[in-house]
Amino acid sequence: MTRKPGPARRSLAEAAASSVLRQMKIDGLWVDPEAIAASKDIVVKAKPDTASGVSGMLIKAGDNFGIMYATHIPSRGFQRFSISHELGHYCIEGHPEALLATGVHQSHAGFVSGDPFEQEADYFAAALLMPELPFKKAIADHDPGLACVESLCKACETSLTATAIRYSALTSDGIAVLSTTGDEIDWCFMSDGIKQAKGLSWPRKGTPVPAGTVTARFNGDPDNVTSGRRESDEGRLNDWLGGDRIYRVTEEVVGLGQYGRTLTILTCKNLSLRAEADETEDDEDALIESWTPRFRR
Ligand SMILES: [Zn+2]
């Protein structure tokens, strides 16, 4: 059971999570990963003394499985995500064989790793904790942007970052979600709506935060980030992602506190899938183009 190296199989990971939810007859917005683990006779324990950067581990001893999750990040949302990430390694086809040869796999959960196995477990965790149908229904009840992400973050008991990434995947509105540290971009996720803008380029890890943006001003004072302040103003999509036309966006920024990172949400009212369906002006090919987020370590 070896696997050729390749990009993360996102849809396979998400389908594995949906299948678990179906088996457990879970159809609400809040999911309990520890109950799912218990149903599979997997013992879950907190582990306060994990090595730095390790979010959790999956352990196999004989036919018994255990999950340990790190507690150095006190956020319950992150801990629930870490437990779900390990469940992903247990449930996704090929993972146990590939990762448990020594009996222990150590994880770096939370969309920080470039390893395809880690990314797949992250996609599994997101799809498990933020089930597609109820999540989409809840999106429809809110105006697009940060307020919607915050409401879903509470309802799903997930981290703001994980919720924003899931939101970008499931909304039909024009949304880009970016993480920055100081003057550098960590990563960017785009909704299908925003990808309708022509000629966008995907910012790679380490790309400078564009000068003159709300985020650049905000990150200029590290205190904003550590104190979890927030700011919002009008901006231009093109400053961040290039493109052939100028699109106005609302740029909402929130400091993520001790992590030293900033979450930015760009919302473009003129780039929604619903609006596009009415206009039907452009070639479909650009949409079919594969937009896989590019992680680099
Ligand atoms: Zn892992």
Side-chain angles (χ1 to χ4, degrees):
M1 283 289 286
T2 49
R3 182 186 158 194
K4 291 191 200 103
R9 302 161 303 172
R10 179 174 183 166
S11 54
L12 180 107
E14 292 178 346
S18 305
S19 153
V20 169
L21 293 170
R22 263 199 316 278
Q23 282 161 19
M24 300 272 304
K25 298 193 165 49
I26 297 168
D27 53 13
L29 201 45
W30 187 81
V31 174
D32 181 358
E34 294 195 53
I36 294 173
S39 80
K40 298 181 181 299
D41 292 324
I42 302 171
V43 179
V44 177
K45 283 201 173 128
K47 185 164 169 40
D49 56 346
T50 43
S52 95
V54 172
S55 59
M57 45 190 92
L58 180 64
I59 298 152
K60 182 174 190 281
D63 291 331
N64 299 318
F65 286 86
I67 287 175
M68 305 277 231
Y69 64 93
T71 53
H72 60 276
I73 294 178
S75 148
R76 189 61 197 147
F78 184 71
Q79 293 171 6
R80 284 161 43 79
F81 194 90
S82 299
I83 295 166
S84 305
H85 174 105
E86 302 309 329
L87 277 174
H89 290 317
Y90 178 88
C91 294
I92 302 168
E93 181 199 299
H95 278 225
E97 296 85 343
L99 303 179
L100 288 171
T102 64
V104 180
H105 165 73
Q106 292 204 337
S107 286
H108 302 270
F111 298 101
V112 292
S113 172
D115 181 294
F117 285 105
E118 292 302 88
Q119 291 178 15
E120 287 172 15
D122 281 341
Y123 284 127
F124 175 97
L128 189 79
L129 294 175
M130 295 170 274
E132 180 170 352
L133 287 181
F135 196 92
K136 277 183 169 166
K137 248 187 223 162
I139 288 175
D141 293 339
H142 294 87
D143 286 334
L146 180 61
C148 180
V149 173
E150 288 185 313
S151 163
L152 279 159
C153 160
K154 273 206 192 84
C156 298
E157 207 182 346
T158 40
S159 74
L160 198 61
T161 300
T163 314
I165 293 172
R166 185 73 170 146
Y167 174 59
S168 71
L170 296 182
T171 183
S172 54
D173 288 306
I175 301 287
V177 174
L178 296 112
S179 168
T180 60
T181 305
D183 53 11
E184 288 190 358
I185 298 175
D186 306 316
W187 47 252
C188 168
F189 286 82
M190 300 183 212
S191 72
D192 285 339
I194 212 130
K195 288 175 204 162
Q196 313 221 13
K198 295 287 176 291
L200 299 188
S201 55
W202 207 296
R204 286 174 176 275
K205 185 171 171 58
T207 304
V209 172
T213 58
V214 183
T215 306
R217 279 204 305 278
F218 186 87
N219 288 1
D221 179 358
D223 214 32
N224 285 336
V225 183
T226 46
S227 320
R229 287 196 197 107
R230 52 189 61 217
E231 212 174 294
S232 163
D233 208 343
E234 298 307 303
R236 297 190 325 167
L237 182 65
N238 318 75
D239 291 340
W240 288 96
L241 305 177
D244 304 339
R245 265 171 66 184
I246 290 175
Y247 286 99
R248 299 268 154 210
V249 291
T250 303
E251 180 174 344
E252 294 173 288
V253 177
V254 50
L256 296 178
Q258 55 171 316
Y259 314 114
R261 288 186 287 113
T262 299
L263 185 72
T264 298
I265 298 182
L266 307 175
T267 305
C268 181
K269 293 243 159 68
N270 298 323
L271 283 170
S272 113
L273 288 180
R274 287 173 297 213
E276 190 69 15
D278 296 338
E279 291 171 22
T280 60
E281 43 150 350
D282 288 314
D283 53 315
E284 298 272 317
D285 291 358
L287 296 180
I288 296 162
E289 197 182 303
S290 165
W291 283 84
T292 313
R294 286 161 200 159
F295 294 90
R296 278 194 350 203
R297 302 207 73 169

